Amino acid sequence: MTINEDNVLTELKKRNTKALEYIINTYSNLVFKVVINVLGNDNYESAKECLNDIYLLVWDKHQFYDPQKASFKNWLL
């Protein structure tokens, strides 16, 4: 099955690792830019660790996403 914007949340609820892979591939540059802006350019290793923590939280807490309140991208950021 191909993961796309329309089914990523459904597949994430099914604990499909391909859904998390899709999220990482789609949003990693944007999320990394936000993290590095918050932590500073000299904290590259901390930013990479923070990025991993964010994706772990997405995996564990995706059920708290409410599409009525925000887009998935905004919730992720």
Side-chain angles (χ1 to χ4, degrees):
M1 166 178 253
T2 302
I3 306 296
N4 57 41
E5 189 175 325
D6 297 327
N7 67 358
V8 67
L9 293 174
T10 303
E11 293 301 314
L12 196 58
K13 288 177 186 175
K14 295 177 186 177
R15 305 305 262 185
N16 184 343
T17 57
K18 295 287 185 188
L20 185 60
E21 189 177 309
Y22 172 84
I23 291 168
I24 292 168
N25 290 337
T26 303
Y27 298 107
S28 63
N29 287 336
L30 181 60
V31 174
F32 186 77
K33 286 177 186 177
V34 171
V35 169
I36 205 73
N37 280 333
V38 171
L39 296 179
N41 288 334
D42 56 337
N43 291 317
Y44 183 78
E45 290 301 317
S46 294
K48 288 191 329 185
E49 185 176 332
C50 184
L51 208 58
N52 289 332
D53 291 343
I54 290 168
Y55 295 127
L56 181 60
L57 282 170
V58 168
W59 182 254
D60 289 337
K61 308 287 184 183
H62 63 274
Q63 68 273 13
F64 293 114
Y65 167 64
D66 183 357
Q68 302 288 341
K69 293 183 179 179
S71 68
F72 181 77
K73 180 172 78 171
N74 287 344
W75 179 80
L76 177 63
L77 296 176

